[in-house]
Each structure stands twice: as structure tokens, then as C-alpha cells.
Amino acid sequence: MSRLEAKKPPLFMSDPLTRDAVRQSLSLLSGILKSCYGPAGRLKQLHNGVGGCVCTTSQSAAILSRLPVTHHVLRVLTASVQNHISRFSDCGLFTAILCCNLIENFKSLNVAPCTVIKISKHLLGLCMDYLKSEACGCRVSVDFSSVETLLCLVRSVLTSKPACMLSKPEVDHLSMLILKAFMFTVPCRVETNAQLGKCVIVPVKGRRVVDSAVLPGLLIETPEIQLAKPLTVKRTCLNMIKIAVFCVSMAGDGFNSEEGTITVHRGTSLETSELNLLLNVGKQLINDEVGLVVCQKVIHPSLKQYLKENHVMAVDRAGLSLMEPLTRMTGSKPIASIHPLSPSYGSLEDVRIESFASKHFVHLIPKETDVCSLVLCNRNETAWDELKRACETAEHVLQLTIKEPLALLGGGCTETHLASYIRHKSCSLSTSSFNDMDCSRTQYQLVSDGFCRSLESVACSLNHDGGEILADMVYGHCWFVPSGFSSVSNWSDLVSKCGCGINGNTENLGWRLLRGQFGSSVIQGCPEEPSVKAADFLTLDCFAAKCSGLQVALETANLILDLSYVIEDQN
């Protein structure tokens, strides 16, 4: 105690958004995220600098979890987006980019933050009411009796992840597999508290994507299986296979000297006693007509051999992740103790051996199941990791859609359509509405314009090749012009379909430039709803995820704009 360091006072930072370092960091983060956005997004390689693997990705979940963020303002932003991703899996980049745009545009206004917050909340309410109304022109109903719209949703998720390195045939193949896997997880019987089942992704790296497959039931990898020998498994009198699932080690290591002192008689072997106990468990399993034993951990080789001699198949090292779907599928309860054994068996219809590449699996097939296995192949580990995240996102999107069977038009069209709608509504607002928000018409128009420019800027982030971006004057949809054409070109000759693919350039739409001229021309009248609501290869976004992303982005931007002080403890 000869030297004590004096306690440092806390560090106060007032108006953090006025600091150059914060603005520069926010601009840098915004630039990184915008460059990743969409099917043509640029990939990022992330490395922690002290070893470990390199992650190549353009997905927000992977980027934000690995990107070191030091300033507290940015931590608020990234934490909000990560929380959104944990709940919805999709629209993370949309949420983060929109939040950065809102902060940048609102901060540049000569309007008090409290007034900006009141007006922006009103604008958010207009958006949410419109998106949830039947009159919404950027919303598509999802019909689960037809696969077209569901395939468009899955395809849109996969094509937005360029690091998966998928060709069009591979995207089509995987989209069908993901949809098929999702259908397996939908329960066959409708119950009051029905729950969706489980799709387990089985990794096979170094193979073609088109080698991927979906199988009902579960696959458990068993490297020691011998393919040449016929599979004989004991069956019950009902021609079913009785299964016992153990979540406790059966390796004969039940006596652990580190857990305390054990008193034994002279000449007694702990290993022999434990093995005899395991063999007695095996005898009970055989007497109970069990045909398959699955253990989360390790099974003693002698017990394995004993079970095999009695036509009982033993599979060990199944792992913790398979316990929940395995018990759900078979109806068994994991046996947690063999001192004494309290069995709760399940049943299977069949057991087979499957091979994918150099891997061998035991395929457990139940009579009725809402559990399936997606054997996912890709050419290398980096692309496989990215593809796994994309498939999990697509599955989650389908799960959200079954709860709320709606989708939003993608490709930037929802953003530009919403901006057109808000501009139209802002022009027709009554004086009493301004009084309720305690603001002037000018202040409302300034904030409204900043809000619309933020939405349109998200749509513009989809273009990474320098071409012009247009919005039509009828539907308010987003159109991308190939690079290399001047701004005096006849736009109608250069575009064929809007960003989402629902509108073709078949009528006199009228155009306005978005990039660099946001809000230069206000649409006269409310944007119309497209007359056609079904087309092949539509780009669609998850309704629930995008609505949440819109709310999270604006609420987080308002929170950050309202920050007056950051107080940091330096001790």
C-alpha cells in the first residue's frame, strides 16, 4: 500500500453529436454499412488483429458483432440494431443505414431536437398506419396455398448475400429446399398451442451447392459406421423401433474423484463396478425391446459391443444441440441418470445410413415429424458460413410471415414509395395538427423532407456502380439506370423494370432523379398501387422485420439526437 493512484474524476462530454470525432465515426460506420447493402454490396473482411479466423461477409449480424465500436453514441446505435437482428434476423442493414441517415439529416436542420422528435414520431405513425392499411401500395399479401410469393421471399434473402457466391440455378435450388424444409416444420395437426418444428442444418463443406438436400427426421454423423454391412435394428411387435435417449455420459466415468472422497472395499475396482452397472443398463434396454440408443456424450466401447451383439444400435457423441429436436421428434425424454435408470422411451419408424461426400450419417425417420435436416453444401468454409446465416435468416423470415402473411416490395421501392406518400400527406396536413405538435408548418416540412430524404438515401445505397437512381411519378417506385449514361438521357429508354420487379416501363410514368437531388420534385397526388400484384422473381422484404426496422431506426435516432451529455467513468 505504499502507492495509491488518485481516483480520477468522471469525463463529461456535452452535445456529443457536435464533436468532430463522433461525426466522423458515424459517417465512417454509415459508409461501411451502405457499401454492404443489397445484392451488389461489397464484401468486408473482418479480423480481430490478434489471431483467429478472417470473416468475409456483407451481413449486418456478422459485421456488427465483430466491428470494434468505441464511442458511446455508436454503441447505442449498434446495440439497437443488434437487438433488432436477434428478434427478426432480417433488415439489419436497412435499420442501421436508415438510423445513420436520420441522425445526419435531422442534425443538419435548424430545428430544436425536441421538435424534431415530436414531428418524426408523427411521421412514423403515418408510415405505420399506411403500411398496415389495405390501401398500402407497397404491400403484398402472402398466400400459403401457393409457393410463388414464398419462393420470392426466400430468393430475395439469398440474393442479397453476395458472399454466398451463388449462381441463379443454385439460388433456385436452395430456395426450394429452404421452403421444403420450412413446410416440414409446420405441424400436421392443428392444436390450440401449436408450435413450429425444427430444421437442423448439417454442414458439408467442399461440395457443390446443388448437392444440398432436405430429409425428414434427423441426421447424426457417425464416422465409424460400416456401410458395407447391412443395418439390423431390433423392432417391436408393432414394427416400430423403440429409442432411448441419454443426456448423461455412458463412458464409465461416473465416479469423479475431484468431486469428493469415495470409500470402497479392498480389491474393488471402480472401473469394473461402473462397467458392470453400464452392462446392467444394457440388459434392461434389451429386455425393454429398445432398438436404438442415442447418447449425447460417449458410450463405453464394451457397452456398445454388447448392445450390437443383441441387435441394438448405439450412437454416441450426438451433441447437446440435437437433444431438443430428437426428443421432440421421438416423444422420448432424455435420461439424465443411470443410478438408477428411469427410462422414458420414444419410437421411430425406420433407421437408415446416409452418405454425403465423405461423411456418413445415421438417418432417424419418425412416423410423423415436424423435424427435418437440411444438408447444406458449399464450396469452401467462408462461403458455407455465410450461406448458413442466410438460410437461417430465410427460415426465420418464413416463420414471421406465417404469423403475419404479408410482404413489402423490395429493391428500394418501399422506401421511395413511402417517401412519396409522406410528401403527399405533409402537403395536406391541417393547422390543428401543427398546433398539436407545437411546431410551425415550416418546421414540419423541414423534418418531413429530412425523413423522406433519409428513406430515399437507403434506396440509393443499393446502387454501387455509379448509375443514376430514379423514382417514377405515378407509383413512387425506385428505378436504377445503368452507369455510363448522362443525366440528359431519355430515362424511359434506359429502364425496363423497377427495383422490386412489379412494374414494367410500359406507360408514361414521368421521372425524378433521387441521387443528389432528393425531394427536388414533389409528387402531385398520392402514389398509386400497382395494378398487378403477382409477378415472377419479385424482390420482397419481410413485413414484420422491415416495419420493426423502421421503428427501431427512428426511435434510436431520436434517442441519440436527445443526448445532451455522455458521462464516462475513467477509473
Side-chain angles (χ1 to χ4, degrees):
M1 300 296 288
S2 58
R3 292 194 309 171
L4 286 174
E5 187 177 350
K7 193 172 183 179
K8 297 177 183 178
L11 181 66
F12 286 82
M13 181 190 296
S14 61
D15 295 325
L17 286 181
T18 62
R19 304 296 178 102
D20 288 340
V22 177
R23 290 204 303 268
Q24 289 170 4
S25 298
L26 185 64
S27 177
L28 178 61
L29 177 64
S30 177
I32 291 172
L33 298 175
K34 284 180 179 179
S35 67
C36 296
Y37 195 42
R42 305 315 192 225
L43 304 184
K44 302 292 175 287
Q45 284 196 325
L46 301 163
H47 192 261
N48 61 16
V50 291
C53 62
V54 177
C55 175
T56 303
T57 185
S58 64
Q59 296 189 42
S60 56
I63 291 172
L64 294 178
S65 63
R66 292 170 173 82
L67 199 64
V69 177
T70 55
H71 199 278
H72 305 287
V73 171
L74 298 188
R75 285 181 184 173
V76 171
L77 193 157
T78 54
S80 292
V81 176
Q82 285 177 297
N83 182 57
H84 163 83
I85 295 168
S86 69
R87 293 170 57 220
F88 295 94
S89 298
D90 198 22
C91 297
L93 285 175
F94 164 79
T95 305
I97 294 168
L98 179 58
C99 185
C100 291
N101 291 342
L102 289 168
I103 294 169
E104 181 183 348
N105 285 318
F106 287 167
K107 192 62 185 173
S108 65
L109 303 176
N110 189 22
V111 181
C114 60
T115 305
V116 171
I117 291 169
K118 286 180 186 176
I119 297 170
S120 63
K121 285 181 177 179
H122 177 263
L123 295 170
L124 177 63
L126 289 177
C127 286
M128 298 311 297
D129 290 343
Y130 179 63
L131 290 174
K132 293 178 180 179
S133 71
E134 293 294 329
C136 179
C138 57
R139 199 178 78 173
V140 175
S141 295
V142 177
D143 181 6
F144 275 82
S145 65
S146 174
V147 300
E148 280 78 10
T149 311
L150 295 171
L151 280 174
C152 287
L153 266 172
V154 176
R155 195 182 290 115
S156 299
V157 172
L158 295 179
T159 54
S160 67
K161 320 296 183 199
C164 296
M165 298 187 291
L166 300 176
S167 64
K168 186 182 180 300
E170 290 171 339
V171 170
D172 293 339
H173 177 69
L174 268 182
S175 299
M176 285 298 297
L177 289 185
I178 292 168
L179 184 54
K180 183 180 178 182
F182 172 71
M183 290 304 181
F184 270 125
T185 66
V186 178
C188 299
R189 298 185 181 129
V190 179
E191 300 174 0
T192 306
N193 298 318
Q195 290 183 328
L196 291 173
K198 179 81 172 176
C199 174
V200 178
I201 295 179
V202 179
V204 177
K205 300 169 186 177
R207 302 292 289 184
R208 301 179 307 160
V209 175
V210 292
D211 293 333
S212 302
V214 171
L215 299 172
L218 278 178
L219 292 176
I220 303 177
E221 188 174 359
T222 50
E224 73 279 5
I225 202 78
Q226 295 180 359
L227 295 177
K229 294 187 177 181
L231 190 62
T232 56
V233 181
K234 183 190 289 186
R235 291 178 178 269
T236 65
C237 56
L238 298 175
N239 200 32
M240 298 295 287
I241 298 171
K242 192 178 284 187
I243 177 174
V245 180
F246 289 85
C247 59
V248 66
S249 174
M250 302 178 75
D253 55 358
F255 296 128
N256 189 348
S257 59
E258 295 178 359
E259 294 179 357
T261 303
I262 301 172
T263 303
V264 296
H265 297 288
R266 184 184 298 274
T268 302
S269 168
L270 287 177
E271 290 79 7
T272 303
S273 298
E274 186 72 6
L275 179 56
N276 289 334
L277 179 62
L278 289 172
L279 292 175
N280 288 334
V281 170
K283 288 178 184 177
Q284 181 175 343
L285 294 172
I286 293 165
N287 292 335
D288 291 342
E289 294 186 312
V290 171
L292 175 65
V293 176
V294 177
C295 182
Q296 175 187 328
K297 299 179 181 179
V298 179
I299 299 177
H300 195 286
S302 298
L303 177 58
K304 262 189 175 182
Q305 182 62 32
Y306 176 71
L307 292 172
K308 182 180 178 182
E309 290 170 356
N310 289 274
H311 306 293
V312 179
M313 188 174 188
V315 178
D316 60 354
R317 295 182 173 90
L320 178 61
S321 61
L322 288 183
M323 288 296 106
E324 188 271 330
L326 183 58
T327 55
R328 179 189 181 106
M329 180 182 77
T330 61
S332 62
K333 291 183 180 178
I335 301 169
S337 174
I338 56 175
H339 310 282
L341 179 64
S342 300
S344 177
Y345 303 131
S347 63
L348 290 169
E349 186 174 53
D350 200 6
V351 176
R352 298 174 188 168
I353 303 299
E354 302 283 354
S355 294
F356 293 93
S358 59
K359 292 187 175 184
H360 307 308
F361 301 89
V362 173
H363 183 195
L364 311 184
I365 305 170
K367 190 171 183 180
E368 291 183 2
T369 183
D370 55 5
V371 175
C372 68
S373 297
L374 171 59
V375 181
L376 190 61
C377 307
N378 210 341
R379 288 168 282 272
N380 56 62
E381 187 170 355
T382 299
W384 188 90
D385 290 340
E386 188 80 350
L387 185 57
K388 177 177 182 284
R389 285 190 290 265
C391 290
E392 289 171 340
T393 299
E395 184 193 7
H396 196 181
V397 164
L398 291 172
Q399 291 170 351
L400 293 168
T401 305
I402 204 171
K403 295 178 183 177
E404 199 167 12
L406 298 168
L408 290 174
L409 300 176
C413 290
T414 289
E415 290 87 337
T416 54
H417 182 89
L418 269 182
S420 300
Y421 174 77
I422 292 298
R423 285 201 172 97
H424 164 72
K425 293 293 287 185
S426 298
C427 295
S428 58
L429 213 61
S430 64
T431 305
S432 61
S433 299
F434 301 130
N435 294 334
D436 293 340
M437 286 180 279
D438 194 22
C439 69
S440 65
R441 181 180 291 274
T442 302
Q443 289 175 322
Y444 185 88
Q445 289 293 347
L446 284 171
V447 176
S448 173
D449 186 59
F451 180 82
C452 294
R453 284 188 286 117
S454 298
L455 283 170
E456 291 170 339
S457 181
V458 176
C460 290
S461 300
L462 288 166
N463 192 333
H464 302 278
D465 298 319
E468 297 289 356
I469 303 104
L470 312 173
D472 68 76
M473 303 288 283
V474 177
Y475 304 110
H477 280 217
C478 183
W479 304 70
F480 297 95
V481 179
S483 59
F485 295 95
S486 65
S487 58
V488 295
S489 303
N490 184 0
W491 302 127
S492 298
D493 297 336
L494 302 176
V495 293
S496 57
K497 278 193 174 183
C498 65
C500 69
I502 203 169
N503 288 320
N505 183 21
T506 57
E507 53 187 303
N508 186 20
L509 297 175
W511 310 101
R512 64 188 182 96
L513 278 169
L514 291 184
R515 181 170 291 186
Q517 300 181 34
F518 299 115
S520 59
S521 176
V522 177
I523 289 183
Q524 302 300 314
C526 186
E528 296 178 14
E529 182 179 1
S531 57
V532 180
K533 272 294 184 183
D536 291 335
F537 306 112
L538 279 184
T539 301
L540 298 176
D541 290 327
C542 176
F543 181 82
K546 197 140 200 177
C547 286
S548 170
L550 182 61
Q551 290 176 291
V552 169
L554 190 129
E555 290 167 1
T556 305
N558 284 345
L559 174 63
I560 291 172
L561 287 169
D562 205 29
L563 284 176
S564 298
Y565 285 94
V566 173
I567 304 171
E568 182 180 359
D569 186 4
Q570 298 187 88
N571 297 293

